[in-house]
Amino acid sequence: MGKKNPRIATDRLHLWLMLALTFSTGVIDAVGYLGLDRVFTGNMTGNVVLLGMAFAGGADLPILRPALALVFFMVGAALAGRVLRKGPEGWSGRTSIALLAVTVGLTALAVYVALVDVHAEEVLGSITTSVLATMMGVQAATAKRLKVAEITTVVVTSTITGLASDSRLAGGKSPFWARRFSAIALIMAGAVVGALTLTVDLWLGIAVSALLSAVVTLLGHLRHRRDRKESVAENAKESALR
């Protein structure tokens, strides 16, 4: 019996890991919207729409925090893009560094929110949403670089469009329907969990996302190291046979 292609298993693992981060985004967005003055820190489409309505005079709609979240999401994505740009395709050591930064950032923020009443002053809540948005920007750029088809981890509008427009009902062949449906279901499930964590305290949802990010980073890095060792061994074997 021939040895299975490790790349197939690795691609499947990457899909599962990005789906886990999609769930995490649902948690974070629920925490931001329900617990931090109606601001999305992962779904920037929501912030753009909120800002547009607020600029048009929408009653009691926030402006500062959605605007800060939009800016700092872009900052996070830009920083991750710079770190990842010189790395190879697929998972690399730079991918692990980027996701480790997200883990550390979310963990530190969870501790900060647990110790400080971020609702006491406007600036404290704005710091919280800005850091969350920065971490989500890093995560989104890292997922984009990893190129898992149909999974962005932060938005599912295009996923829903693809699921419907490519469905058999629309005359298509329903490619990627399982992962598309999973992404939609998981970001919704994450939002449910995020809303439930707010019944305990604000820090809990952030801590849940930090834990998920840590697991994703660890599993992805361990697989990357294993694949790299196997590749080196395979190259050495081929060189010896020449």
Side-chain angles (χ1 to χ4, degrees), residues 158-197:
S158 59
T159 307
I160 294 170
T161 302
L163 181 65
S165 63
D166 294 336
S167 68
R168 296 188 183 280
L169 182 63
K173 296 183 179 180
S174 295
F176 302 118
W177 74 267
R179 67 178 61 187
R180 285 168 168 170
F181 179 82
S182 296
I184 297 165
L186 284 170
I187 203 167
M188 182 181 294
V192 171
V193 171
L196 290 174
T197 62

mmCIF file of all heavy atoms in Angstrom, residues 158-197:
data_model
loop_
_atom_site.group_PDB
_atom_site.id
_atom_site.type_symbol
_atom_site.label_atom_id
_atom_site.label_comp_id
_atom_site.label_asym_id
_atom_site.label_seq_id
_atom_site.Cartn_x
_atom_site.Cartn_y
_atom_site.Cartn_z
ATOM 1 N N SER A 158 -19.650 36.840 0.665
ATOM 2 C CA SER A 158 -19.248 36.198 -0.590
ATOM 3 C C SER A 158 -19.453 34.690 -0.514
ATOM 4 O O SER A 158 -19.756 34.043 -1.530
ATOM 5 C CB SER A 158 -17.785 36.513 -0.904
ATOM 6 O OG SER A 158 -16.932 36.072 0.129
ATOM 7 N N THR A 159 -19.310 34.144 0.678
ATOM 8 C CA THR A 159 -19.525 32.706 0.876
ATOM 9 C C THR A 159 -20.984 32.346 0.647
ATOM 10 O O THR A 159 -21.305 31.351 -0.014
ATOM 11 C CB THR A 159 -19.103 32.295 2.297
ATOM 12 O OG1 THR A 159 -17.766 32.732 2.541
ATOM 13 C CG2 THR A 159 -19.178 30.788 2.474
ATOM 14 N N ILE A 160 -21.886 33.154 1.199
ATOM 15 C CA ILE A 160 -23.318 32.930 1.007
ATOM 16 C C ILE A 160 -23.684 33.074 -0.473
ATOM 17 O O ILE A 160 -24.463 32.278 -1.026
ATOM 18 C CB ILE A 160 -24.133 33.921 1.859
ATOM 19 C CG1 ILE A 160 -23.912 33.640 3.344
ATOM 20 C CG2 ILE A 160 -25.620 33.832 1.522
ATOM 21 C CD1 ILE A 160 -24.489 34.701 4.262
ATOM 22 N N THR A 161 -23.110 34.092 -1.123
ATOM 23 C CA THR A 161 -23.363 34.301 -2.551
ATOM 24 C C THR A 161 -22.923 33.086 -3.366
ATOM 25 O O THR A 161 -23.656 32.601 -4.244
ATOM 26 C CB THR A 161 -22.616 35.551 -3.047
ATOM 27 O OG1 THR A 161 -23.021 36.682 -2.290
ATOM 28 C CG2 THR A 161 -22.907 35.789 -4.527
ATOM 29 N N GLY A 162 -21.712 32.596 -3.085
ATOM 30 C CA GLY A 162 -21.204 31.439 -3.807
ATOM 31 C C GLY A 162 -22.030 30.195 -3.549
ATOM 32 O O GLY A 162 -22.301 29.412 -4.472
ATOM 33 N N LEU A 163 -22.453 30.007 -2.308
ATOM 34 C CA LEU A 163 -23.260 28.836 -1.964
ATOM 35 C C LEU A 163 -24.561 28.824 -2.750
ATOM 36 O O LEU A 163 -24.991 27.779 -3.264
ATOM 37 C CB LEU A 163 -23.548 28.837 -0.461
ATOM 38 C CG LEU A 163 -24.367 27.654 0.078
ATOM 39 C CD1 LEU A 163 -23.600 26.348 -0.073
ATOM 40 C CD2 LEU A 163 -24.728 27.882 1.548
ATOM 41 N N ALA A 164 -25.193 29.995 -2.866
ATOM 42 C CA ALA A 164 -26.473 30.078 -3.572
ATOM 43 C C ALA A 164 -26.300 30.072 -5.085
ATOM 44 O O ALA A 164 -26.976 29.317 -5.803
ATOM 45 C CB ALA A 164 -27.213 31.338 -3.136
ATOM 46 N N SER A 165 -25.377 30.895 -5.601
ATOM 47 C CA SER A 165 -25.253 31.048 -7.052
ATOM 48 C C SER A 165 -24.658 29.818 -7.728
ATOM 49 O O SER A 165 -24.902 29.583 -8.916
ATOM 50 C CB SER A 165 -24.399 32.275 -7.384
ATOM 51 O OG SER A 165 -23.080 32.121 -6.906
ATOM 52 N N ASP A 166 -23.873 29.038 -6.992
ATOM 53 C CA ASP A 166 -23.274 27.828 -7.560
ATOM 54 C C ASP A 166 -24.040 26.571 -7.197
ATOM 55 O O ASP A 166 -23.594 25.458 -7.490
ATOM 56 C CB ASP A 166 -21.818 27.678 -7.079
ATOM 57 C CG ASP A 166 -20.917 28.781 -7.600
ATOM 58 O OD1 ASP A 166 -21.254 29.363 -8.643
ATOM 59 O OD2 ASP A 166 -19.882 29.059 -6.964
ATOM 60 N N SER A 167 -25.194 26.724 -6.546
ATOM 61 C CA SER A 167 -25.962 25.568 -6.095
ATOM 62 C C SER A 167 -26.626 24.852 -7.268
ATOM 63 O O SER A 167 -26.746 25.400 -8.369
ATOM 64 C CB SER A 167 -27.036 26.001 -5.095
ATOM 65 O OG SER A 167 -28.026 26.795 -5.756
ATOM 66 N N ARG A 168 -27.058 23.654 -7.023
ATOM 67 C CA ARG A 168 -27.770 22.887 -8.058
ATOM 68 C C ARG A 168 -29.098 23.559 -8.408
ATOM 69 O O ARG A 168 -29.571 23.469 -9.541
ATOM 70 C CB ARG A 168 -27.996 21.452 -7.581
ATOM 71 C CG ARG A 168 -26.694 20.694 -7.372
ATOM 72 C CD ARG A 168 -26.923 19.220 -7.083
ATOM 73 N NE ARG A 168 -25.664 18.538 -6.810
ATOM 74 C CZ ARG A 168 -24.803 18.122 -7.740
ATOM 75 N NH1 ARG A 168 -25.098 18.304 -9.022
ATOM 76 N NH2 ARG A 168 -23.677 17.514 -7.400
ATOM 77 N N LEU A 169 -29.685 24.248 -7.440
ATOM 78 C CA LEU A 169 -30.924 24.980 -7.698
ATOM 79 C C LEU A 169 -30.691 26.063 -8.746
ATOM 80 O O LEU A 169 -31.572 26.362 -9.555
ATOM 81 C CB LEU A 169 -31.430 25.614 -6.395
ATOM 82 C CG LEU A 169 -32.757 26.383 -6.467
ATOM 83 C CD1 LEU A 169 -33.894 25.448 -6.860
ATOM 84 C CD2 LEU A 169 -33.050 27.068 -5.137
ATOM 85 N N ALA A 170 -29.469 26.628 -8.763
ATOM 86 C CA ALA A 170 -29.117 27.672 -9.726
ATOM 87 C C ALA A 170 -28.502 27.089 -10.998
ATOM 88 O O ALA A 170 -28.043 27.833 -11.869
ATOM 89 C CB ALA A 170 -28.146 28.665 -9.093
ATOM 90 N N GLY A 171 -28.476 25.771 -11.096
ATOM 91 C CA GLY A 171 -27.925 25.124 -12.280
ATOM 92 C C GLY A 171 -26.440 24.841 -12.189
ATOM 93 O O GLY A 171 -25.817 24.427 -13.175
ATOM 94 N N GLY A 172 -25.859 25.051 -11.014
ATOM 95 C CA GLY A 172 -24.437 24.784 -10.836
ATOM 96 C C GLY A 172 -24.160 23.389 -10.300
ATOM 97 O O GLY A 172 -25.066 22.565 -10.187
ATOM 98 N N LYS A 173 -22.911 23.164 -9.911
ATOM 99 C CA LYS A 173 -22.508 21.851 -9.394
ATOM 100 C C LYS A 173 -22.195 21.874 -7.902
ATOM 101 O O LYS A 173 -21.652 20.916 -7.358
ATOM 102 C CB LYS A 173 -21.292 21.352 -10.178
ATOM 103 C CG LYS A 173 -21.584 21.114 -11.655
ATOM 104 C CD LYS A 173 -20.368 20.547 -12.374
ATOM 105 C CE LYS A 173 -20.682 20.278 -13.848
ATOM 106 N NZ LYS A 173 -19.503 19.731 -14.584
ATOM 107 N N SER A 174 -22.505 22.985 -7.248
ATOM 108 C CA SER A 174 -22.308 23.138 -5.809
ATOM 109 C C SER A 174 -20.886 22.829 -5.345
ATOM 110 O O SER A 174 -20.678 22.040 -4.424
ATOM 111 C CB SER A 174 -23.303 22.243 -5.047
ATOM 112 O OG SER A 174 -24.621 22.657 -5.254
ATOM 113 N N PRO A 175 -19.860 23.444 -5.957
ATOM 114 C CA PRO A 175 -18.503 23.221 -5.475
ATOM 115 C C PRO A 175 -18.308 23.859 -4.091
ATOM 116 O O PRO A 175 -18.907 24.888 -3.796
ATOM 117 C CB PRO A 175 -17.632 23.930 -6.528
ATOM 118 C CG PRO A 175 -18.510 25.014 -7.051
ATOM 119 C CD PRO A 175 -19.899 24.434 -7.053
ATOM 120 N N PHE A 176 -17.519 23.234 -3.279
ATOM 121 C CA PHE A 176 -17.181 23.758 -1.949
ATOM 122 C C PHE A 176 -18.404 23.974 -1.053
ATOM 123 O O PHE A 176 -18.333 24.736 -0.093
ATOM 124 C CB PHE A 176 -16.416 25.089 -2.055
ATOM 125 C CG PHE A 176 -15.151 25.022 -2.851
ATOM 126 C CD1 PHE A 176 -15.009 25.781 -4.006
ATOM 127 C CD2 PHE A 176 -14.096 24.207 -2.460
ATOM 128 C CE1 PHE A 176 -13.834 25.734 -4.743
ATOM 129 C CE2 PHE A 176 -12.924 24.152 -3.188
ATOM 130 C CZ PHE A 176 -12.793 24.909 -4.336
ATOM 131 N N TRP A 177 -19.513 23.305 -1.359
ATOM 132 C CA TRP A 177 -20.723 23.603 -0.594
ATOM 133 C C TRP A 177 -20.550 23.283 0.880
ATOM 134 O O TRP A 177 -21.060 24.006 1.745
ATOM 135 C CB TRP A 177 -21.925 22.832 -1.154
ATOM 136 C CG TRP A 177 -21.926 21.362 -0.825
ATOM 137 C CD1 TRP A 177 -21.430 20.349 -1.573
ATOM 138 C CD2 TRP A 177 -22.447 20.767 0.361
ATOM 139 N NE1 TRP A 177 -21.600 19.146 -0.935
ATOM 140 C CE2 TRP A 177 -22.222 19.380 0.258
ATOM 141 C CE3 TRP A 177 -23.079 21.256 1.512
ATOM 142 C CZ2 TRP A 177 -22.598 18.473 1.257
ATOM 143 C CZ3 TRP A 177 -23.449 20.360 2.510
ATOM 144 C CH2 TRP A 177 -23.215 18.993 2.372
ATOM 145 N N ALA A 178 -19.803 22.218 1.199
ATOM 146 C CA ALA A 178 -19.646 21.813 2.601
ATOM 147 C C ALA A 178 -18.874 22.863 3.398
ATOM 148 O O ALA A 178 -19.276 23.257 4.494
ATOM 149 C CB ALA A 178 -18.945 20.461 2.680
ATOM 150 N N ARG A 179 -17.761 23.352 2.841
ATOM 151 C CA ARG A 179 -16.984 24.344 3.578
ATOM 152 C C ARG A 179 -17.697 25.693 3.616
ATOM 153 O O ARG A 179 -17.587 26.436 4.585
ATOM 154 C CB ARG A 179 -15.581 24.478 2.998
ATOM 155 C CG ARG A 179 -15.487 25.066 1.593
ATOM 156 C CD ARG A 179 -14.036 25.189 1.150
ATOM 157 N NE ARG A 179 -13.360 23.898 1.098
ATOM 158 C CZ ARG A 179 -12.064 23.750 0.879
ATOM 159 N NH1 ARG A 179 -11.305 24.821 0.670
ATOM 160 N NH2 ARG A 179 -11.515 22.557 0.839
ATOM 161 N N ARG A 180 -18.421 26.017 2.550
ATOM 162 C CA ARG A 180 -19.179 27.267 2.552
ATOM 163 C C ARG A 180 -20.259 27.241 3.621
ATOM 164 O O ARG A 180 -20.404 28.186 4.410
ATOM 165 C CB ARG A 180 -19.804 27.498 1.179
ATOM 166 C CG ARG A 180 -18.828 27.957 0.110
ATOM 167 C CD ARG A 180 -19.454 27.878 -1.273
ATOM 168 N NE ARG A 180 -18.644 28.562 -2.274
ATOM 169 C CZ ARG A 180 -18.854 28.485 -3.585
ATOM 170 N NH1 ARG A 180 -19.883 27.757 -4.046
ATOM 171 N NH2 ARG A 180 -18.087 29.139 -4.434
ATOM 172 N N PHE A 181 -20.999 26.156 3.669
ATOM 173 C CA PHE A 181 -22.045 26.025 4.676
ATOM 174 C C PHE A 181 -21.444 26.013 6.077
ATOM 175 O O PHE A 181 -21.984 26.635 7.001
ATOM 176 C CB PHE A 181 -22.846 24.735 4.440
ATOM 177 C CG PHE A 181 -23.927 24.511 5.458
ATOM 178 C CD1 PHE A 181 -25.151 25.153 5.336
ATOM 179 C CD2 PHE A 181 -23.721 23.671 6.549
ATOM 180 C CE1 PHE A 181 -26.145 24.965 6.285
ATOM 181 C CE2 PHE A 181 -24.711 23.480 7.502
ATOM 182 C CZ PHE A 181 -25.926 24.127 7.362
ATOM 183 N N SER A 182 -20.312 25.329 6.235
ATOM 184 C CA SER A 182 -19.656 25.264 7.539
ATOM 185 C C SER A 182 -19.216 26.644 8.008
ATOM 186 O O SER A 182 -19.373 26.990 9.184
ATOM 187 C CB SER A 182 -18.443 24.324 7.472
ATOM 188 O OG SER A 182 -18.836 23.000 7.186
ATOM 189 N N ALA A 183 -18.652 27.442 7.099
ATOM 190 C CA ALA A 183 -18.211 28.791 7.466
ATOM 191 C C ALA A 183 -19.380 29.645 7.935
ATOM 192 O O ALA A 183 -19.284 30.368 8.940
ATOM 193 C CB ALA A 183 -17.513 29.449 6.281
ATOM 194 N N ILE A 184 -20.504 29.564 7.213
ATOM 195 C CA ILE A 184 -21.690 30.338 7.578
ATOM 196 C C ILE A 184 -22.219 29.894 8.939
ATOM 197 O O ILE A 184 -22.516 30.716 9.821
ATOM 198 C CB ILE A 184 -22.781 30.184 6.506
ATOM 199 C CG1 ILE A 184 -22.293 30.756 5.173
ATOM 200 C CG2 ILE A 184 -24.080 30.866 6.941
ATOM 201 C CD1 ILE A 184 -23.122 30.334 3.979
ATOM 202 N N ALA A 185 -22.330 28.574 9.117
ATOM 203 C CA ALA A 185 -22.851 28.036 10.371
ATOM 204 C C ALA A 185 -21.934 28.353 11.546
ATOM 205 O O ALA A 185 -22.399 28.687 12.643
ATOM 206 C CB ALA A 185 -23.040 26.520 10.250
ATOM 207 N N LEU A 186 -20.625 28.292 11.314
ATOM 208 C CA LEU A 186 -19.683 28.498 12.413
ATOM 209 C C LEU A 186 -19.589 29.956 12.845
ATOM 210 O O LEU A 186 -19.453 30.246 14.040
ATOM 211 C CB LEU A 186 -18.297 27.968 12.020
ATOM 212 C CG LEU A 186 -18.166 26.454 12.063
ATOM 213 C CD1 LEU A 186 -16.862 26.005 11.423
ATOM 214 C CD2 LEU A 186 -18.242 25.949 13.508
ATOM 215 N N ILE A 187 -19.661 30.881 11.903
ATOM 216 C CA ILE A 187 -19.616 32.287 12.324
ATOM 217 C C ILE A 187 -20.896 32.652 13.077
ATOM 218 O O ILE A 187 -20.869 33.449 14.032
ATOM 219 C CB ILE A 187 -19.377 33.228 11.123
ATOM 220 C CG1 ILE A 187 -18.780 34.564 11.601
ATOM 221 C CG2 ILE A 187 -20.640 33.462 10.309
ATOM 222 C CD1 ILE A 187 -18.230 35.430 10.485
ATOM 223 N N MET A 188 -22.010 32.020 12.703
ATOM 224 C CA MET A 188 -23.254 32.235 13.436
ATOM 225 C C MET A 188 -23.170 31.600 14.825
ATOM 226 O O MET A 188 -23.564 32.218 15.827
ATOM 227 C CB MET A 188 -24.439 31.652 12.669
ATOM 228 C CG MET A 188 -25.782 31.869 13.347
ATOM 229 S SD MET A 188 -27.163 31.146 12.434
ATOM 230 C CE MET A 188 -27.142 32.169 10.954
ATOM 231 N N ALA A 189 -22.641 30.377 14.878
ATOM 232 C CA ALA A 189 -22.484 29.706 16.170
ATOM 233 C C ALA A 189 -21.544 30.493 17.075
ATOM 234 O O ALA A 189 -21.763 30.606 18.287
ATOM 235 C CB ALA A 189 -21.948 28.287 15.961
ATOM 236 N N GLY A 190 -20.488 31.063 16.482
ATOM 237 C CA GLY A 190 -19.568 31.887 17.253
ATOM 238 C C GLY A 190 -20.267 33.101 17.839
ATOM 239 O O GLY A 190 -20.020 33.485 18.990
ATOM 240 N N ALA A 191 -21.150 33.705 17.050
ATOM 241 C CA ALA A 191 -21.900 34.863 17.539
ATOM 242 C C ALA A 191 -22.804 34.470 18.705
ATOM 243 O O ALA A 191 -22.953 35.231 19.680
ATOM 244 C CB ALA A 191 -22.720 35.469 16.408
ATOM 245 N N VAL A 192 -23.403 33.290 18.617
ATOM 246 C CA VAL A 192 -24.233 32.796 19.722
ATOM 247 C C VAL A 192 -23.391 32.632 20.979
ATOM 248 O O VAL A 192 -23.773 33.084 22.074
ATOM 249 C CB VAL A 192 -24.902 31.459 19.346
ATOM 250 C CG1 VAL A 192 -25.589 30.841 20.565
ATOM 251 C CG2 VAL A 192 -25.906 31.650 18.225
ATOM 252 N N VAL A 193 -22.247 32.001 20.837
ATOM 253 C CA VAL A 193 -21.355 31.793 21.986
ATOM 254 C C VAL A 193 -20.872 33.128 22.538
ATOM 255 O O VAL A 193 -20.836 33.341 23.757
ATOM 256 C CB VAL A 193 -20.161 30.910 21.582
ATOM 257 C CG1 VAL A 193 -19.107 30.870 22.694
ATOM 258 C CG2 VAL A 193 -20.626 29.500 21.266
ATOM 259 N N GLY A 194 -20.501 34.052 21.626
ATOM 260 C CA GLY A 194 -20.057 35.365 22.078
ATOM 261 C C GLY A 194 -21.121 36.092 22.875
ATOM 262 O O GLY A 194 -20.833 36.710 23.907
ATOM 263 N N ALA A 195 -22.362 36.027 22.404
ATOM 264 C CA ALA A 195 -23.457 36.668 23.129
ATOM 265 C C ALA A 195 -23.660 36.027 24.498
ATOM 266 O O ALA A 195 -23.914 36.720 25.493
ATOM 267 C CB ALA A 195 -24.743 36.587 22.305
ATOM 268 N N LEU A 196 -23.522 34.707 24.558
ATOM 269 C CA LEU A 196 -23.694 34.007 25.835
ATOM 270 C C LEU A 196 -22.584 34.343 26.821
ATOM 271 O O LEU A 196 -22.829 34.443 28.027
ATOM 272 C CB LEU A 196 -23.743 32.492 25.599
ATOM 273 C CG LEU A 196 -24.990 31.965 24.885
ATOM 274 C CD1 LEU A 196 -24.852 30.474 24.593
ATOM 275 C CD2 LEU A 196 -26.243 32.224 25.733
ATOM 276 N N THR A 197 -21.362 34.533 26.319
ATOM 277 C CA THR A 197 -20.263 34.865 27.233
ATOM 278 C C THR A 197 -20.474 36.210 27.910
ATOM 279 O O THR A 197 -19.979 36.441 29.014
ATOM 280 C CB THR A 197 -18.897 34.889 26.497
ATOM 281 O OG1 THR A 197 -18.914 35.914 25.484
ATOM 282 C CG2 THR A 197 -18.585 33.546 25.883
#
